[in-house]
Amino acid sequence: MASSRLERVEESATIKAANVANKMRQQGADVISFSLGEPDFDTPKHICDAAADAMYRGETHYTPSAGIPELREAIAEKLKTENKLDVNASDVLVTPGAKQAIFEIMLTVLDDGDEAILFDPAWVSYESAIKFAGADTVWVPTDPYDGFKPQNLEEYITDKTRIVVVNTPGNPTGAVYDRSTLKNIADLAIDHDILVLSDEIYEKIIYDREHVSMGSIEGMQDRTITVNGFSKAYAMTGWRLGYACARPDIFDGMLKIQSHSVSSATSFVQYGGLAALQGSQEPVKEMVDEFKIRRDILVKGLNDIGIKCQTPGGAFYAFADVSEFGDGNQISEKLLVDAHVAVTPGSAFGESGKDFIRISYATSQERIKDGLERIKTALV
Ligand code: PMP
Ligand code: GLU
């Protein structure tokens, strides 16, 4: 029944792990879920109000496929001032989630047999998007003890390489790349005429570090496609709102796919996004302050148990080396069955993750402490 295109692709491992935990919960088990990467906070009220007002005002019809002009304008302004990108509203495509933007990008720039580079480990949906587009993924190793930076990137570039994905702050590692790391990648992209998909969805969730946008690096403006969204920064995962900014030929390709598939992001949701950008940023700061406290509790707790874990500089994931106790798949299974603690096995994110588990700390301090106790009892 299934097409060969579909058969190349696995179910999303992050969503699968979360579904298993939810199912156990529904059956009455007290599962502590460290699996899904989504903020546990409510969307700030002023954002909900703006979307509700828009809905009652009658903003319930199709919008232009690329998004409402006010939102595209506000995003361009944000990208200019915060990210130092030289963009106009006409370069901005509003999408129903960053995930949709990523699929549109891969389908636009990749042909059968092209190669796309991912740094291992990488978030699960990039590879699926590459496979759907008929291209091959080339995995470049990273070093967990050197900030998960790519190692020997140039060796993996061929004349078929079309695009490299950079995700900082990163999922699943929480690693933040500094300017010089990005510059090294940029130099290779320029030398070998390669595009960069820069996924910056965790840019606001960063601890005492500076977020640098790939597109702001000299020579990278035209070869970078910047992806971002509202899910993580504003706790708006269910709203499905993201965006991309791309040079005209790539923008046009993405828009073509968008107009034939989803038409546009939801009308009143886009007004919520506008309020998120134009309203107070205080809720973002409060969320990030809380994430930082949780991160510190988690990382210290894991290391105390003997699970090696570097301190992540951003996002809300810890990528922990469980090799002292078993491989990542075994330990994920054991934690779920014996301790009712749900994590995502590191192998879901690439070969290099096999000795790791990803722990999403988008849950309360109490649950994190409780989870650490359970992990200790199960493993030690
Ligand atoms: N990129 C990364 C790295 C992510 O972790 C996620 C999380 N779902 C996304 C993109 C997609 O976000 P969304 O579709 O909710 O905007
Ligand atoms: N990005 C989040 C995660 O990695 C949400 C689930 C998904 O879209 O993969 O858990």
Side-chain angles (χ1 to χ4, degrees), residues 14 37 95-102 123 125-126 167 169-172 199-202 227-232 236-238 240-243 317 358:
T14 47
T95 58
K99 209 180 255 184
Q100 175 74 15
I102 292 164
W123 176 53
S125 293
Y126 302 130
N167 171 217
N171 179 4
D199 182 347
E200 306 185 15
I201 197 154
Y202 294 101
V227 172
N228 206 327
F230 295 80
S231 285
K232 316 290 170 169
M236 289 173 68
T237 47
R240 311 310 303 126
L241 191 63
Y243 57 89
Y317 306 108
R358 187 191 77 170

PDB file of all heavy atoms in Angstrom, residues 14 37 95-102 123 125-126 167 169-172 199-202 227-232 236-238 240-243 317 358, ligand 1:
ATOM      1  N   THR A  14      10.473  11.203  18.674  1.00  0.00           N
ATOM      2  CA  THR A  14      10.175  12.068  19.830  1.00  0.00           C
ATOM      3  C   THR A  14       8.690  11.994  20.167  1.00  0.00           C
ATOM      4  O   THR A  14       8.294  11.905  21.325  1.00  0.00           O
ATOM      5  CB  THR A  14      10.540  13.528  19.499  1.00  0.00           C
ATOM      6  OG1 THR A  14      10.011  13.856  18.211  1.00  0.00           O
ATOM      7  CG2 THR A  14      12.035  13.732  19.498  1.00  0.00           C
ATOM      8  N   GLY A  37       9.640  17.549  23.686  1.00  0.00           N
ATOM      9  CA  GLY A  37      10.237  18.876  23.787  1.00  0.00           C
ATOM     10  C   GLY A  37       9.213  19.965  23.594  1.00  0.00           C
ATOM     11  O   GLY A  37       9.078  20.508  22.503  1.00  0.00           O
ATOM     12  N   THR A  95       4.600  30.130   8.173  1.00  0.00           N
ATOM     13  CA  THR A  95       4.232  28.727   7.933  1.00  0.00           C
ATOM     14  C   THR A  95       3.469  28.159   9.134  1.00  0.00           C
ATOM     15  O   THR A  95       3.608  28.680  10.252  1.00  0.00           O
ATOM     16  CB  THR A  95       5.506  27.875   7.737  1.00  0.00           C
ATOM     17  OG1 THR A  95       6.327  28.008   8.901  1.00  0.00           O
ATOM     18  CG2 THR A  95       6.289  28.303   6.512  1.00  0.00           C
ATOM     19  N   PRO A  96       2.697  27.107   8.918  1.00  0.00           N
ATOM     20  CA  PRO A  96       2.063  26.467  10.075  1.00  0.00           C
ATOM     21  C   PRO A  96       3.079  25.597  10.817  1.00  0.00           C
ATOM     22  O   PRO A  96       3.105  24.382  10.672  1.00  0.00           O
ATOM     23  CB  PRO A  96       0.932  25.635   9.470  1.00  0.00           C
ATOM     24  CG  PRO A  96       1.170  25.594   8.019  1.00  0.00           C
ATOM     25  CD  PRO A  96       2.291  26.507   7.654  1.00  0.00           C
ATOM     26  N   GLY A  97       3.938  26.223  11.581  1.00  0.00           N
ATOM     27  CA  GLY A  97       4.997  25.528  12.329  1.00  0.00           C
ATOM     28  C   GLY A  97       6.305  25.553  11.561  1.00  0.00           C
ATOM     29  O   GLY A  97       6.340  25.580  10.314  1.00  0.00           O
ATOM     30  N   ALA A  98       7.403  25.542  12.330  1.00  0.00           N
ATOM     31  CA  ALA A  98       8.732  25.506  11.719  1.00  0.00           C
ATOM     32  C   ALA A  98       8.931  24.198  10.967  1.00  0.00           C
ATOM     33  O   ALA A  98       9.650  24.135   9.969  1.00  0.00           O
ATOM     34  CB  ALA A  98       9.803  25.670  12.791  1.00  0.00           C
ATOM     35  N   LYS A  99       8.282  23.151  11.447  1.00  0.00           N
ATOM     36  CA  LYS A  99       8.442  21.843  10.805  1.00  0.00           C
ATOM     37  C   LYS A  99       7.992  21.900   9.350  1.00  0.00           C
ATOM     38  O   LYS A  99       8.645  21.365   8.462  1.00  0.00           O
ATOM     39  CB  LYS A  99       7.593  20.820  11.575  1.00  0.00           C
ATOM     40  CG  LYS A  99       8.125  19.418  11.534  1.00  0.00           C
ATOM     41  CD  LYS A  99       7.221  18.483  12.309  1.00  0.00           C
ATOM     42  CE  LYS A  99       7.809  18.098  13.629  1.00  0.00           C
ATOM     43  NZ  LYS A  99       6.974  17.117  14.358  1.00  0.00           N
ATOM     44  N   GLN A 100       6.892  22.571   9.110  1.00  0.00           N
ATOM     45  CA  GLN A 100       6.399  22.719   7.731  1.00  0.00           C
ATOM     46  C   GLN A 100       7.417  23.491   6.889  1.00  0.00           C
ATOM     47  O   GLN A 100       7.687  23.133   5.736  1.00  0.00           O
ATOM     48  CB  GLN A 100       5.042  23.458   7.750  1.00  0.00           C
ATOM     49  CG  GLN A 100       4.476  23.778   6.388  1.00  0.00           C
ATOM     50  CD  GLN A 100       3.908  22.559   5.670  1.00  0.00           C
ATOM     51  OE1 GLN A 100       3.681  21.512   6.272  1.00  0.00           O
ATOM     52  NE2 GLN A 100       3.684  22.692   4.376  1.00  0.00           N
ATOM     53  N   ALA A 101       8.013  24.517   7.486  1.00  0.00           N
ATOM     54  CA  ALA A 101       9.021  25.301   6.744  1.00  0.00           C
ATOM     55  C   ALA A 101      10.191  24.401   6.357  1.00  0.00           C
ATOM     56  O   ALA A 101      10.694  24.466   5.225  1.00  0.00           O
ATOM     57  CB  ALA A 101       9.507  26.467   7.606  1.00  0.00           C
ATOM     58  N   ILE A 102      10.605  23.532   7.279  1.00  0.00           N
ATOM     59  CA  ILE A 102      11.754  22.656   7.006  1.00  0.00           C
ATOM     60  C   ILE A 102      11.428  21.692   5.854  1.00  0.00           C
ATOM     61  O   ILE A 102      12.232  21.481   4.954  1.00  0.00           O
ATOM     62  CB  ILE A 102      12.153  21.906   8.298  1.00  0.00           C
ATOM     63  CG1 ILE A 102      12.732  22.912   9.303  1.00  0.00           C
ATOM     64  CG2 ILE A 102      13.143  20.778   8.010  1.00  0.00           C
ATOM     65  CD1 ILE A 102      12.818  22.417  10.728  1.00  0.00           C
ATOM     66  N   TRP A 123      18.094  16.605  15.384  1.00  0.00           N
ATOM     67  CA  TRP A 123      16.647  16.430  15.621  1.00  0.00           C
ATOM     68  C   TRP A 123      16.032  15.518  14.554  1.00  0.00           C
ATOM     69  O   TRP A 123      16.432  15.561  13.389  1.00  0.00           O
ATOM     70  CB  TRP A 123      15.966  17.802  15.633  1.00  0.00           C
ATOM     71  CG  TRP A 123      14.480  17.754  15.772  1.00  0.00           C
ATOM     72  CD1 TRP A 123      13.756  17.100  16.737  1.00  0.00           C
ATOM     73  CD2 TRP A 123      13.534  18.377  14.905  1.00  0.00           C
ATOM     74  NE1 TRP A 123      12.423  17.285  16.516  1.00  0.00           N
ATOM     75  CE2 TRP A 123      12.260  18.069  15.405  1.00  0.00           C
ATOM     76  CE3 TRP A 123      13.640  19.168  13.756  1.00  0.00           C
ATOM     77  CZ2 TRP A 123      11.090  18.519  14.809  1.00  0.00           C
ATOM     78  CZ3 TRP A 123      12.482  19.621  13.156  1.00  0.00           C
ATOM     79  CH2 TRP A 123      11.220  19.300  13.676  1.00  0.00           C
ATOM     80  N   SER A 125      13.320  15.146  12.691  1.00  0.00           N
ATOM     81  CA  SER A 125      12.542  15.411  11.474  1.00  0.00           C
ATOM     82  C   SER A 125      13.369  15.909  10.288  1.00  0.00           C
ATOM     83  O   SER A 125      12.885  15.908   9.160  1.00  0.00           O
ATOM     84  CB  SER A 125      11.399  16.388  11.764  1.00  0.00           C
ATOM     85  OG  SER A 125      10.467  15.747  12.611  1.00  0.00           O
ATOM     86  N   TYR A 126      14.617  16.343  10.545  1.00  0.00           N
ATOM     87  CA  TYR A 126      15.425  16.774   9.387  1.00  0.00           C
ATOM     88  C   TYR A 126      15.628  15.611   8.420  1.00  0.00           C
ATOM     89  O   TYR A 126      15.486  15.756   7.206  1.00  0.00           O
ATOM     90  CB  TYR A 126      16.812  17.277   9.810  1.00  0.00           C
ATOM     91  CG  TYR A 126      16.829  18.426  10.781  1.00  0.00           C
ATOM     92  CD1 TYR A 126      17.610  18.369  11.930  1.00  0.00           C
ATOM     93  CD2 TYR A 126      16.086  19.579  10.537  1.00  0.00           C
ATOM     94  CE1 TYR A 126      17.649  19.425  12.820  1.00  0.00           C
ATOM     95  CE2 TYR A 126      16.127  20.636  11.430  1.00  0.00           C
ATOM     96  CZ  TYR A 126      16.907  20.553  12.572  1.00  0.00           C
ATOM     97  OH  TYR A 126      16.947  21.588  13.463  1.00  0.00           O
ATOM     98  N   ASN A 167      21.717  23.863  13.733  1.00  0.00           N
ATOM     99  CA  ASN A 167      20.639  24.080  14.702  1.00  0.00           C
ATOM    100  C   ASN A 167      21.253  24.493  16.038  1.00  0.00           C
ATOM    101  O   ASN A 167      21.745  23.672  16.782  1.00  0.00           O
ATOM    102  CB  ASN A 167      19.829  22.769  14.829  1.00  0.00           C
ATOM    103  CG  ASN A 167      18.803  22.773  15.946  1.00  0.00           C
ATOM    104  OD1 ASN A 167      18.585  21.759  16.609  1.00  0.00           O
ATOM    105  ND2 ASN A 167      18.159  23.885  16.167  1.00  0.00           N
ATOM    106  N   PRO A 169      20.555  27.259  19.427  1.00  0.00           N
ATOM    107  CA  PRO A 169      20.788  26.138  20.343  1.00  0.00           C
ATOM    108  C   PRO A 169      20.154  24.860  19.794  1.00  0.00           C
ATOM    109  O   PRO A 169      19.128  24.920  19.135  1.00  0.00           O
ATOM    110  CB  PRO A 169      20.095  26.588  21.631  1.00  0.00           C
ATOM    111  CG  PRO A 169      20.020  28.079  21.546  1.00  0.00           C
ATOM    112  CD  PRO A 169      19.898  28.398  20.093  1.00  0.00           C
ATOM    113  N   GLY A 170      20.765  23.730  20.110  1.00  0.00           N
ATOM    114  CA  GLY A 170      20.424  22.513  19.406  1.00  0.00           C
ATOM    115  C   GLY A 170      19.526  21.538  20.153  1.00  0.00           C
ATOM    116  O   GLY A 170      19.578  21.407  21.374  1.00  0.00           O
ATOM    117  N   ASN A 171      18.741  20.839  19.377  1.00  0.00           N
ATOM    118  CA  ASN A 171      17.967  19.695  19.835  1.00  0.00           C
ATOM    119  C   ASN A 171      18.621  18.484  19.167  1.00  0.00           C
ATOM    120  O   ASN A 171      18.766  18.497  17.940  1.00  0.00           O
ATOM    121  CB  ASN A 171      16.510  19.863  19.346  1.00  0.00           C
ATOM    122  CG  ASN A 171      15.610  18.718  19.732  1.00  0.00           C
ATOM    123  OD1 ASN A 171      16.015  17.808  20.439  1.00  0.00           O
ATOM    124  ND2 ASN A 171      14.378  18.772  19.250  1.00  0.00           N
ATOM    125  N   PRO A 172      19.094  17.479  19.864  1.00  0.00           N
ATOM    126  CA  PRO A 172      18.795  17.095  21.241  1.00  0.00           C
ATOM    127  C   PRO A 172      19.843  17.478  22.286  1.00  0.00           C
ATOM    128  O   PRO A 172      19.697  17.072  23.436  1.00  0.00           O
ATOM    129  CB  PRO A 172      18.765  15.562  21.140  1.00  0.00           C
ATOM    130  CG  PRO A 172      19.877  15.267  20.180  1.00  0.00           C
ATOM    131  CD  PRO A 172      19.828  16.385  19.168  1.00  0.00           C
ATOM    132  N   ASP A 199      18.314  26.531  11.694  1.00  0.00           N
ATOM    133  CA  ASP A 199      17.118  26.360  12.520  1.00  0.00           C
ATOM    134  C   ASP A 199      17.380  27.021  13.870  1.00  0.00           C
ATOM    135  O   ASP A 199      18.153  26.515  14.678  1.00  0.00           O
ATOM    136  CB  ASP A 199      16.825  24.858  12.675  1.00  0.00           C
ATOM    137  CG  ASP A 199      15.566  24.595  13.491  1.00  0.00           C
ATOM    138  OD1 ASP A 199      15.048  25.525  14.150  1.00  0.00           O
ATOM    139  OD2 ASP A 199      15.116  23.428  13.499  1.00  0.00           O
ATOM    140  N   GLU A 200      16.712  28.167  14.084  1.00  0.00           N
ATOM    141  CA  GLU A 200      16.998  28.977  15.272  1.00  0.00           C
ATOM    142  C   GLU A 200      15.815  28.983  16.242  1.00  0.00           C
ATOM    143  O   GLU A 200      15.615  29.935  16.996  1.00  0.00           O
ATOM    144  CB  GLU A 200      17.395  30.389  14.818  1.00  0.00           C
ATOM    145  CG  GLU A 200      18.549  30.314  13.824  1.00  0.00           C
ATOM    146  CD  GLU A 200      19.123  31.663  13.378  1.00  0.00           C
ATOM    147  OE1 GLU A 200      18.852  32.687  14.021  1.00  0.00           O
ATOM    148  OE2 GLU A 200      19.859  31.651  12.366  1.00  0.00           O
ATOM    149  N   ILE A 201      15.046  27.898  16.221  1.00  0.00           N
ATOM    150  CA  ILE A 201      13.804  27.890  16.999  1.00  0.00           C
ATOM    151  C   ILE A 201      14.046  27.997  18.516  1.00  0.00           C
ATOM    152  O   ILE A 201      13.167  28.423  19.249  1.00  0.00           O
ATOM    153  CB  ILE A 201      12.940  26.664  16.628  1.00  0.00           C
ATOM    154  CG1 ILE A 201      11.507  26.871  17.111  1.00  0.00           C
ATOM    155  CG2 ILE A 201      13.509  25.376  17.169  1.00  0.00           C
ATOM    156  CD1 ILE A 201      10.461  26.129  16.341  1.00  0.00           C
ATOM    157  N   TYR A 202      15.245  27.619  18.959  1.00  0.00           N
ATOM    158  CA  TYR A 202      15.535  27.728  20.409  1.00  0.00           C
ATOM    159  C   TYR A 202      16.335  28.986  20.753  1.00  0.00           C
ATOM    160  O   TYR A 202      16.898  29.081  21.836  1.00  0.00           O
ATOM    161  CB  TYR A 202      16.293  26.480  20.895  1.00  0.00           C
ATOM    162  CG  TYR A 202      15.454  25.230  20.813  1.00  0.00           C
ATOM    163  CD1 TYR A 202      15.601  24.323  19.767  1.00  0.00           C
ATOM    164  CD2 TYR A 202      14.476  24.959  21.769  1.00  0.00           C
ATOM    165  CE1 TYR A 202      14.807  23.193  19.667  1.00  0.00           C
ATOM    166  CE2 TYR A 202      13.681  23.832  21.681  1.00  0.00           C
ATOM    167  CZ  TYR A 202      13.852  22.951  20.625  1.00  0.00           C
ATOM    168  OH  TYR A 202      13.052  21.840  20.544  1.00  0.00           O
ATOM    169  N   VAL A 227      15.174  29.549   9.739  1.00  0.00           N
ATOM    170  CA  VAL A 227      13.889  29.008  10.181  1.00  0.00           C
ATOM    171  C   VAL A 227      13.718  29.349  11.659  1.00  0.00           C
ATOM    172  O   VAL A 227      14.665  29.264  12.445  1.00  0.00           O
ATOM    173  CB  VAL A 227      13.860  27.467  10.021  1.00  0.00           C
ATOM    174  CG1 VAL A 227      12.613  26.871  10.652  1.00  0.00           C
ATOM    175  CG2 VAL A 227      13.942  27.088   8.554  1.00  0.00           C
ATOM    176  N   ASN A 228      12.505  29.750  12.008  1.00  0.00           N
ATOM    177  CA  ASN A 228      12.234  30.040  13.416  1.00  0.00           C
ATOM    178  C   ASN A 228      10.735  29.839  13.639  1.00  0.00           C
ATOM    179  O   ASN A 228      10.011  29.482  12.709  1.00  0.00           O
ATOM    180  CB  ASN A 228      12.669  31.481  13.741  1.00  0.00           C
ATOM    181  CG  ASN A 228      13.026  31.656  15.202  1.00  0.00           C
ATOM    182  OD1 ASN A 228      12.437  31.010  16.073  1.00  0.00           O
ATOM    183  ND2 ASN A 228      13.987  32.524  15.479  1.00  0.00           N
ATOM    184  N   GLY A 229      10.287  30.060  14.857  1.00  0.00           N
ATOM    185  CA  GLY A 229       8.872  29.846  15.119  1.00  0.00           C
ATOM    186  C   GLY A 229       8.500  30.287  16.514  1.00  0.00           C
ATOM    187  O   GLY A 229       9.348  30.748  17.281  1.00  0.00           O
ATOM    188  N   PHE A 230       7.229  30.135  16.811  1.00  0.00           N
ATOM    189  CA  PHE A 230       6.690  30.653  18.074  1.00  0.00           C
ATOM    190  C   PHE A 230       6.538  29.559  19.127  1.00  0.00           C
ATOM    191  O   PHE A 230       6.286  29.849  20.292  1.00  0.00           O
ATOM    192  CB  PHE A 230       5.336  31.321  17.804  1.00  0.00           C
ATOM    193  CG  PHE A 230       5.461  32.536  16.928  1.00  0.00           C
ATOM    194  CD1 PHE A 230       5.584  32.402  15.549  1.00  0.00           C
ATOM    195  CD2 PHE A 230       5.497  33.803  17.478  1.00  0.00           C
ATOM    196  CE1 PHE A 230       5.735  33.520  14.728  1.00  0.00           C
ATOM    197  CE2 PHE A 230       5.644  34.927  16.674  1.00  0.00           C
ATOM    198  CZ  PHE A 230       5.761  34.783  15.290  1.00  0.00           C
ATOM    199  N   SER A 231       6.683  28.282  18.707  1.00  0.00           N
ATOM    200  CA  SER A 231       6.392  27.154  19.601  1.00  0.00           C
ATOM    201  C   SER A 231       7.152  27.205  20.911  1.00  0.00           C
ATOM    202  O   SER A 231       6.582  27.004  21.984  1.00  0.00           O
ATOM    203  CB  SER A 231       6.752  25.833  18.911  1.00  0.00           C
ATOM    204  OG  SER A 231       5.806  25.508  17.940  1.00  0.00           O
ATOM    205  N   LYS A 232       8.451  27.428  20.820  1.00  0.00           N
ATOM    206  CA  LYS A 232       9.294  27.270  22.008  1.00  0.00           C
ATOM    207  C   LYS A 232       9.383  28.574  22.797  1.00  0.00           C
ATOM    208  O   LYS A 232       9.172  28.583  24.004  1.00  0.00           O
ATOM    209  CB  LYS A 232      10.695  26.802  21.611  1.00  0.00           C
ATOM    210  CG  LYS A 232      10.714  25.695  20.559  1.00  0.00           C
ATOM    211  CD  LYS A 232      10.214  24.361  21.048  1.00  0.00           C
ATOM    212  CE  LYS A 232      10.050  23.404  19.880  1.00  0.00           C
ATOM    213  NZ  LYS A 232       9.820  22.029  20.222  1.00  0.00           N
ATOM    214  N   MET A 236       3.921  28.075  22.427  1.00  0.00           N
ATOM    215  CA  MET A 236       2.795  28.061  21.483  1.00  0.00           C
ATOM    216  C   MET A 236       2.843  26.828  20.580  1.00  0.00           C
ATOM    217  O   MET A 236       2.476  26.902  19.396  1.00  0.00           O
ATOM    218  CB  MET A 236       2.822  29.342  20.632  1.00  0.00           C
ATOM    219  CG  MET A 236       2.448  30.581  21.415  1.00  0.00           C
ATOM    220  SD  MET A 236       2.669  32.119  20.461  1.00  0.00           S
ATOM    221  CE  MET A 236       1.401  31.993  19.204  1.00  0.00           C
ATOM    222  N   THR A 237       3.258  25.691  21.131  1.00  0.00           N
ATOM    223  CA  THR A 237       3.432  24.501  20.283  1.00  0.00           C
ATOM    224  C   THR A 237       2.148  24.118  19.531  1.00  0.00           C
ATOM    225  O   THR A 237       2.204  23.748  18.368  1.00  0.00           O
ATOM    226  CB  THR A 237       3.914  23.298  21.114  1.00  0.00           C
ATOM    227  OG1 THR A 237       3.102  23.212  22.285  1.00  0.00           O
ATOM    228  CG2 THR A 237       5.357  23.431  21.513  1.00  0.00           C
ATOM    229  N   GLY A 238       1.012  24.203  20.220  1.00  0.00           N
ATOM    230  CA  GLY A 238      -0.244  23.763  19.606  1.00  0.00           C
ATOM    231  C   GLY A 238      -0.825  24.751  18.599  1.00  0.00           C
ATOM    232  O   GLY A 238      -1.758  24.419  17.873  1.00  0.00           O
ATOM    233  N   ARG A 240       0.735  26.037  16.064  1.00  0.00           N
ATOM    234  CA  ARG A 240       1.347  25.744  14.775  1.00  0.00           C
ATOM    235  C   ARG A 240       1.649  27.035  14.022  1.00  0.00           C
ATOM    236  O   ARG A 240       0.948  27.425  13.089  1.00  0.00           O
ATOM    237  CB  ARG A 240       0.471  24.806  13.917  1.00  0.00           C
ATOM    238  CG  ARG A 240      -0.055  23.558  14.607  1.00  0.00           C
ATOM    239  CD  ARG A 240       1.020  22.753  15.332  1.00  0.00           C
ATOM    240  NE  ARG A 240       2.103  22.353  14.460  1.00  0.00           N
ATOM    241  CZ  ARG A 240       3.393  22.606  14.720  1.00  0.00           C
ATOM    242  NH1 ARG A 240       3.761  23.243  15.830  1.00  0.00           N
ATOM    243  NH2 ARG A 240       4.322  22.206  13.905  1.00  0.00           N
ATOM    244  N   LEU A 241       2.704  27.692  14.440  1.00  0.00           N
ATOM    245  CA  LEU A 241       3.100  28.938  13.777  1.00  0.00           C
ATOM    246  C   LEU A 241       4.621  29.049  13.739  1.00  0.00           C
ATOM    247  O   LEU A 241       5.293  29.009  14.780  1.00  0.00           O
ATOM    248  CB  LEU A 241       2.497  30.148  14.515  1.00  0.00           C
ATOM    249  CG  LEU A 241       2.617  31.487  13.789  1.00  0.00           C
ATOM    250  CD1 LEU A 241       1.852  31.480  12.470  1.00  0.00           C
ATOM    251  CD2 LEU A 241       2.101  32.624  14.679  1.00  0.00           C
ATOM    252  N   GLY A 242       5.140  29.146  12.534  1.00  0.00           N
ATOM    253  CA  GLY A 242       6.580  29.308  12.354  1.00  0.00           C
ATOM    254  C   GLY A 242       6.838  30.199  11.153  1.00  0.00           C
ATOM    255  O   GLY A 242       5.898  30.758  10.572  1.00  0.00           O
ATOM    256  N   TYR A 243       8.092  30.331  10.794  1.00  0.00           N
ATOM    257  CA  TYR A 243       8.402  31.131   9.605  1.00  0.00           C
ATOM    258  C   TYR A 243       9.792  30.815   9.084  1.00  0.00           C
ATOM    259  O   TYR A 243      10.619  30.214   9.783  1.00  0.00           O
ATOM    260  CB  TYR A 243       8.276  32.633   9.897  1.00  0.00           C
ATOM    261  CG  TYR A 243       9.124  33.166  11.031  1.00  0.00           C
ATOM    262  CD1 TYR A 243      10.417  33.629  10.808  1.00  0.00           C
ATOM    263  CD2 TYR A 243       8.619  33.216  12.326  1.00  0.00           C
ATOM    264  CE1 TYR A 243      11.182  34.134  11.858  1.00  0.00           C
ATOM    265  CE2 TYR A 243       9.377  33.722  13.374  1.00  0.00           C
ATOM    266  CZ  TYR A 243      10.657  34.181  13.137  1.00  0.00           C
ATOM    267  OH  TYR A 243      11.409  34.662  14.162  1.00  0.00           O
ATOM    268  N   TYR A 317      16.936  20.640  26.767  1.00  0.00           N
ATOM    269  CA  TYR A 317      17.292  19.225  26.710  1.00  0.00           C
ATOM    270  C   TYR A 317      18.662  19.000  27.338  1.00  0.00           C
ATOM    271  O   TYR A 317      19.557  19.825  27.175  1.00  0.00           O
ATOM    272  CB  TYR A 317      17.388  18.755  25.250  1.00  0.00           C
ATOM    273  CG  TYR A 317      16.164  19.052  24.437  1.00  0.00           C
ATOM    274  CD1 TYR A 317      16.178  20.045  23.460  1.00  0.00           C
ATOM    275  CD2 TYR A 317      14.983  18.329  24.640  1.00  0.00           C
ATOM    276  CE1 TYR A 317      15.052  20.322  22.706  1.00  0.00           C
ATOM    277  CE2 TYR A 317      13.854  18.609  23.882  1.00  0.00           C
ATOM    278  CZ  TYR A 317      13.886  19.607  22.925  1.00  0.00           C
ATOM    279  OH  TYR A 317      12.771  19.878  22.183  1.00  0.00           O
ATOM    280  N   ARG A 358      18.024  11.415  25.760  1.00  0.00           N
ATOM    281  CA  ARG A 358      17.670  12.836  25.795  1.00  0.00           C
ATOM    282  C   ARG A 358      16.621  13.051  26.871  1.00  0.00           C
ATOM    283  O   ARG A 358      15.593  12.368  26.896  1.00  0.00           O
ATOM    284  CB  ARG A 358      17.119  13.311  24.455  1.00  0.00           C
ATOM    285  CG  ARG A 358      16.909  14.826  24.440  1.00  0.00           C
ATOM    286  CD  ARG A 358      16.118  15.294  23.244  1.00  0.00           C
ATOM    287  NE  ARG A 358      14.704  15.042  23.393  1.00  0.00           N
ATOM    288  CZ  ARG A 358      13.761  15.519  22.585  1.00  0.00           C
ATOM    289  NH1 ARG A 358      14.109  16.263  21.554  1.00  0.00           N
ATOM    290  NH2 ARG A 358      12.486  15.249  22.778  1.00  0.00           N
TER     291      ARG A 358
HETATM  292  N1  PMP B   1      13.220  22.503  14.959  1.00  0.00           N
HETATM  293  C1  PMP B   1      13.575  21.909  16.098  1.00  0.00           C
HETATM  294  C2  PMP B   1      15.018  21.765  16.402  1.00  0.00           C
HETATM  295  C3  PMP B   1      12.615  21.429  16.991  1.00  0.00           C
HETATM  296  O1  PMP B   1      12.993  20.836  18.123  1.00  0.00           O
HETATM  297  C4  PMP B   1      11.260  21.573  16.672  1.00  0.00           C
HETATM  298  C5  PMP B   1      10.256  21.041  17.665  1.00  0.00           C
HETATM  299  N2  PMP B   1       9.132  20.546  17.242  1.00  0.00           N
HETATM  300  C6  PMP B   1      10.930  22.197  15.459  1.00  0.00           C
HETATM  301  C7  PMP B   1      11.929  22.652  14.634  1.00  0.00           C
HETATM  302  C8  PMP B   1       9.537  22.373  14.973  1.00  0.00           C
HETATM  303  O2  PMP B   1       8.799  23.263  15.703  1.00  0.00           O
HETATM  304  P1  PMP B   1       7.319  23.699  15.298  1.00  0.00           P
HETATM  305  O3  PMP B   1       6.915  22.916  14.101  1.00  0.00           O
HETATM  306  O4  PMP B   1       6.489  23.408  16.488  1.00  0.00           O
HETATM  307  O5  PMP B   1       7.406  25.168  15.004  1.00  0.00           O
END
